[in-house]
Amino acid sequence: MSSLLKPFSVCEGPCESSAARRGCPNSPLHQQPPSSRSLAAASAGLRPLPAHHRRNLAAAAIGGRKITHPGKAILAGGIAGGIEICITFPTEYVKTQLQLDERANPPRYRGIGDCVKLTVQDHGLRGLYRGLSSLLYGSIPKSAVRFGTFEMLSNPMRDATGRLDNTRSLLCGLGAGIAEAILVVCPMETLKVKLIHDQCSLRPRYRGFFHGVSEIIREQGVRGTYQGLTATVLKQGTNQAIRFYVMNALRNWYKGDDTRQEMHPIVTAMFGATAGAASVFGNTPLDVVKTRMQGLEAHRYKNTMDCAFQILKHEGPQAFYKGTVPRLGRVCLDVAIVFVIYEEVVKLLNNVWKTQ
């Protein structure tokens, strides 16, 4: 009889499943056993993670933006750099020629078109690719170091969903630029500038890339391939800081809260071109100084600051923006191509190289 008079709850007995569907908090189906992590946290006197933190971690594990393995970044960056330089080298050649065409001497070229015309007349179409080998040998490791370093630095800085904030992308880009400048860019750029400058001479000394390298090292030692190191570090550091910052900011804006959203290659190319243009207007003066410090007449300058001072004194401030137009076209195309190829190669590598 006492059992008949005992109060009952709709959460018990035959109505148990119905109560669970209605959300009864006392239903056994709503009472999950504590997890081992919760018990461990409780025994240690720690509070469990808030629900929204757990949701963020779950989202990252299930479908957030995957963190790119540095090994994949190195391989994808190298492939992207090799393809890109073969496409864009003629614009780099014209830019370098215009920067070396100092006002102190009677200018040889009246502009971009005239530079291309005279080069083709004197050396044929192959003349526009003079010095390509030095850049090709260097572009592959340059891009590999750049993207590998960036991913290595940025991976620990990403949040639970894989997002990297803009300030941290700026710092990671700066680190990537400094690394590529010291390890690859400075010797590569020095050889490139010397080979191109040598072609302007009445009697060119270098018969090709390997002959040029051997002669430079024989006469000047390994230090001869590191002319303009300070200017190169400044240029590459600011270059990649600006490019990765702009690219990351545009990517975050485009994806919004959905970090899993894929970007179409055309969108990636547009964002890359914008990042390239920003870097051109931001550091072309450093690029001009770097080029002068690496040319055959670098002995005229005591150091990077003296080079900048002499350019300003003898040629005026506008000289710091020589070659801006051809550099703008070359860099926008360069950065767009590299980012597109890099992203697509990483996608392919994710299918065959499982790192997560």
Side-chain angles (χ1 to χ4, degrees):
M1 189 68 179
S2 61
S3 63
L4 294 175
L5 297 176
K6 179 182 177 181
F8 70 92
S9 168
V10 294
C11 294
E12 298 174 353
C15 299
E16 184 173 303
S17 60
S18 299
R21 286 193 297 270
R22 287 194 298 269
C24 177
N26 294 325
S27 170
L29 296 180
H30 279 263
Q31 296 176 353
Q32 299 293 336
S35 65
S36 58
R37 288 188 179 182
S38 298
L39 291 175
S43 64
L46 301 174
R47 297 175 60 187
L49 283 173
H52 68 281
H53 283 181
R54 291 197 299 272
R55 286 195 297 270
N56 284 345
L57 291 173
I62 294 173
R65 182 182 183 275
K66 292 183 178 180
I67 292 176
T68 302
H69 189 278
K72 293 179 182 178
I74 291 173
L75 181 57
I79 294 172
I83 296 174
E84 173 274 324
I85 197 61
C86 291
I87 297 174
T88 63
F89 183 80
T91 59
E92 175 69 13
Y93 175 89
V94 173
K95 180 214 72 170
T96 303
Q97 288 284 35
L98 291 178
Q99 288 180 346
L100 293 172
D101 193 27
E102 298 180 349
R103 178 180 294 180
N105 298 319
R108 183 182 182 189
Y109 306 115
R110 295 190 298 271
I112 299 172
D114 187 53
C115 179
V116 174
K117 178 182 177 182
L118 291 179
T119 300
V120 173
Q121 284 181 353
D122 295 341
H123 306 283
L125 289 175
R126 293 181 60 184
L128 294 173
Y129 283 88
R130 181 69 182 270
L132 171 64
S133 54
S134 62
L135 273 192
L136 184 61
Y137 299 147
S139 288
I140 294 175
K142 177 181 74 171
S143 292
V145 169
R146 176 194 308 166
F147 284 100
T149 303
F150 181 82
E151 296 296 346
M152 183 176 63
L153 294 176
S154 65
N155 284 348
M157 297 185 180
R158 298 182 185 275
D159 63 18
T161 61
R163 181 183 295 272
L164 180 68
D165 68 46
N166 296 335
T167 301
R168 291 177 177 178
S169 69
L170 181 74
L171 295 176
C172 293
L174 179 63
I178 292 174
E180 72 175 13
I182 296 173
L183 297 176
V184 182
V185 176
C186 188
M188 177 192 72
E189 287 284 311
T190 301
L191 294 172
K192 178 207 71 174
V193 172
K194 288 182 182 296
L195 288 173
I196 292 177
H197 206 173
D198 179 64
Q199 182 175 320
C200 301
S201 305
L202 295 177
R203 296 179 180 179
R205 297 177 53 200
Y206 307 136
R207 297 189 297 270
F209 173 76
F210 292 106
H211 178 255
V213 172
S214 62
E215 286 295 305
I216 292 170
I217 294 179
R218 183 180 63 83
E219 295 175 0
Q220 305 173 26
V222 176
R223 293 183 59 184
T225 64
Y226 270 89
Q227 290 180 337
L229 176 60
T230 301
T232 303
V233 168
L234 291 173
K235 178 211 168 185
Q236 292 303 122
T238 55
N239 244 354
Q240 303 313 324
I242 294 172
R243 290 176 188 177
F244 279 106
Y245 173 84
V246 174
M247 190 69 188
N248 191 71
L250 291 173
R251 182 187 286 118
N252 287 342
W253 166 79
Y254 180 82
K255 292 188 175 184
D257 295 330
D258 185 8
T259 57
R260 292 171 293 177
Q261 182 179 356
E262 295 287 346
M263 291 202 313
H264 191 279
I266 294 179
V267 176
T268 301
M270 292 173 60
F271 288 173
T274 303
S279 68
V280 168
F281 290 114
N283 76 349
T284 288
L286 289 173
D287 187 51
V288 172
V289 174
K290 176 196 70 66
T291 300
R292 297 287 181 88
M293 289 295 294
Q294 292 171 334
L296 296 178
E297 298 180 357
H299 61 275
R300 295 170 48 190
Y301 311 115
K302 298 177 182 178
N303 50 45
T304 301
M305 290 300 298
D306 180 61
C307 178
F309 176 75
Q310 289 198 38
I311 293 173
L312 180 64
K313 179 180 178 180
H314 298 295
E315 303 174 53
Q318 66 274 16
F320 288 110
Y321 281 89
K322 277 187 174 182
T324 297
V325 175
R327 186 183 181 220
L328 185 65
R330 183 249 190 276
V331 169
C332 288
L333 188 60
D334 167 358
V335 181
I337 291 173
V338 165
F339 272 112
V340 169
I341 297 177
Y342 174 77
E343 296 287 348
E344 295 305 309
V345 172
V346 167
K347 291 177 184 177
L348 292 176
L349 291 176
N350 285 336
N351 294 329
V352 298
W353 183 358
K354 304 298 182 182
T355 56
Q356 292 182 341

